[in-house]
mmCIF file of all heavy atoms in Angstrom:
data_model
loop_
_atom_site.group_PDB
_atom_site.id
_atom_site.type_symbol
_atom_site.label_atom_id
_atom_site.label_comp_id
_atom_site.label_asym_id
_atom_site.label_seq_id
_atom_site.Cartn_x
_atom_site.Cartn_y
_atom_site.Cartn_z
ATOM 1 N N PRO A 859 -12.031 29.130 10.806
ATOM 2 C CA PRO A 859 -11.197 30.115 11.516
ATOM 3 C C PRO A 859 -11.926 30.690 12.707
ATOM 4 O O PRO A 859 -13.132 30.919 12.689
ATOM 5 C CB PRO A 859 -10.936 31.189 10.439
ATOM 6 C CG PRO A 859 -12.042 31.006 9.439
ATOM 7 C CD PRO A 859 -12.394 29.559 9.448
ATOM 8 N N GLY A 860 -11.176 30.926 13.750
ATOM 9 C CA GLY A 860 -11.756 31.511 14.959
ATOM 10 C C GLY A 860 -12.466 30.514 15.837
ATOM 11 O O GLY A 860 -13.138 30.887 16.796
ATOM 12 N N PHE A 861 -12.317 29.210 15.507
ATOM 13 C CA PHE A 861 -13.017 28.218 16.327
ATOM 14 C C PHE A 861 -12.337 28.080 17.688
ATOM 15 O O PHE A 861 -11.116 28.088 17.787
ATOM 16 C CB PHE A 861 -13.021 26.864 15.614
ATOM 17 C CG PHE A 861 -13.513 25.739 16.471
ATOM 18 C CD1 PHE A 861 -14.869 25.579 16.702
ATOM 19 C CD2 PHE A 861 -12.608 24.870 17.064
ATOM 20 C CE1 PHE A 861 -15.317 24.542 17.486
ATOM 21 C CE2 PHE A 861 -13.066 23.847 17.857
ATOM 22 C CZ PHE A 861 -14.424 23.685 18.063
ATOM 23 N N ASP A 862 -13.139 27.973 18.705
ATOM 24 C CA ASP A 862 -12.635 27.771 20.073
ATOM 25 C C ASP A 862 -13.322 26.546 20.642
ATOM 26 O O ASP A 862 -14.538 26.418 20.583
ATOM 27 C CB ASP A 862 -12.943 28.993 20.939
ATOM 28 C CG ASP A 862 -12.207 28.919 22.271
ATOM 29 O OD1 ASP A 862 -11.561 27.883 22.510
ATOM 30 O OD2 ASP A 862 -12.293 29.885 23.040
ATOM 31 N N ARG A 863 -12.517 25.608 21.163
ATOM 32 C CA ARG A 863 -13.103 24.383 21.688
ATOM 33 C C ARG A 863 -14.059 24.654 22.845
ATOM 34 O O ARG A 863 -14.936 23.852 23.131
ATOM 35 C CB ARG A 863 -11.999 23.419 22.168
ATOM 36 C CG ARG A 863 -11.146 22.917 21.027
ATOM 37 C CD ARG A 863 -10.048 22.000 21.524
ATOM 38 N NE ARG A 863 -9.205 21.538 20.439
ATOM 39 C CZ ARG A 863 -9.441 20.478 19.711
ATOM 40 N NH1 ARG A 863 -10.510 19.756 19.952
ATOM 41 N NH2 ARG A 863 -8.624 20.119 18.748
ATOM 42 N N THR A 864 -13.889 25.777 23.501
ATOM 43 C CA THR A 864 -14.782 26.068 24.627
ATOM 44 C C THR A 864 -16.190 26.358 24.166
ATOM 45 O O THR A 864 -17.125 26.354 24.964
ATOM 46 C CB THR A 864 -14.246 27.262 25.429
ATOM 47 O OG1 THR A 864 -14.121 28.377 24.537
ATOM 48 C CG2 THR A 864 -12.886 26.959 26.014
ATOM 49 N N ASP A 865 -16.367 26.612 22.836
ATOM 50 C CA ASP A 865 -17.716 26.856 22.328
ATOM 51 C C ASP A 865 -18.538 25.589 22.272
ATOM 52 O O ASP A 865 -19.759 25.640 22.152
ATOM 53 C CB ASP A 865 -17.652 27.466 20.926
ATOM 54 C CG ASP A 865 -17.066 28.866 20.974
ATOM 55 O OD1 ASP A 865 -17.065 29.447 22.074
ATOM 56 O OD2 ASP A 865 -16.624 29.358 19.923
ATOM 57 N N LEU A 866 -17.879 24.429 22.303
ATOM 58 C CA LEU A 866 -18.628 23.181 22.187
ATOM 59 C C LEU A 866 -19.435 22.886 23.428
ATOM 60 O O LEU A 866 -20.468 22.247 23.381
ATOM 61 C CB LEU A 866 -17.659 22.016 21.913
ATOM 62 C CG LEU A 866 -16.934 22.083 20.561
ATOM 63 C CD1 LEU A 866 -15.979 20.919 20.446
ATOM 64 C CD2 LEU A 866 -17.943 22.072 19.422
ATOM 65 N N MET A 867 -18.974 23.313 24.587
ATOM 66 C CA MET A 867 -19.696 23.039 25.835
ATOM 67 C C MET A 867 -19.361 24.126 26.849
ATOM 68 O O MET A 867 -18.268 24.695 26.806
ATOM 69 C CB MET A 867 -19.304 21.661 26.391
ATOM 70 C CG MET A 867 -17.835 21.504 26.707
ATOM 71 S SD MET A 867 -17.456 19.858 27.324
ATOM 72 C CE MET A 867 -17.787 18.883 25.881
ATOM 73 N N PRO A 868 -20.283 24.441 27.712
ATOM 74 C CA PRO A 868 -19.997 25.485 28.715
ATOM 75 C C PRO A 868 -18.937 25.023 29.686
ATOM 76 O O PRO A 868 -18.877 23.852 30.057
ATOM 77 C CB PRO A 868 -21.354 25.688 29.406
ATOM 78 C CG PRO A 868 -22.088 24.425 29.164
ATOM 79 C CD PRO A 868 -21.650 23.909 27.836
ATOM 80 N N ARG A 869 -18.102 25.974 30.058
ATOM 81 C CA ARG A 869 -17.053 25.635 31.019
ATOM 82 C C ARG A 869 -17.653 25.494 32.412
ATOM 83 O O ARG A 869 -18.445 26.313 32.851
ATOM 84 C CB ARG A 869 -15.973 26.728 31.017
ATOM 85 C CG ARG A 869 -14.882 26.497 32.038
ATOM 86 C CD ARG A 869 -13.777 27.477 31.898
ATOM 87 N NE ARG A 869 -13.173 27.353 30.590
ATOM 88 C CZ ARG A 869 -11.989 27.869 30.297
ATOM 89 N NH1 ARG A 869 -11.292 28.491 31.214
ATOM 90 N NH2 ARG A 869 -11.498 27.748 29.087
ATOM 91 N N GLN A 870 -17.254 24.432 33.106
ATOM 92 C CA GLN A 870 -17.746 24.204 34.458
ATOM 93 C C GLN A 870 -16.708 24.691 35.460
ATOM 94 O O GLN A 870 -15.533 24.395 35.325
ATOM 95 C CB GLN A 870 -18.014 22.717 34.675
ATOM 96 C CG GLN A 870 -19.062 22.167 33.687
ATOM 97 C CD GLN A 870 -19.335 20.720 33.930
ATOM 98 O OE1 GLN A 870 -19.033 20.219 35.001
ATOM 99 N NE2 GLN A 870 -19.933 20.048 32.968
ATOM 100 N N VAL A 871 -17.170 25.447 36.408
ATOM 101 C CA VAL A 871 -16.272 26.001 37.412
ATOM 102 C C VAL A 871 -16.479 25.246 38.710
ATOM 103 O O VAL A 871 -17.608 25.112 39.195
ATOM 104 C CB VAL A 871 -16.545 27.508 37.628
ATOM 105 C CG1 VAL A 871 -15.612 28.087 38.648
ATOM 106 C CG2 VAL A 871 -16.434 28.232 36.289
#
Side-chain angles (χ1 to χ4, degrees):
F861 170 77
D862 191 355
R863 294 179 181 272
T864 57
D865 293 341
L866 294 178
M867 60 181 67
R869 177 173 299 196
Q870 300 181 19
V871 181

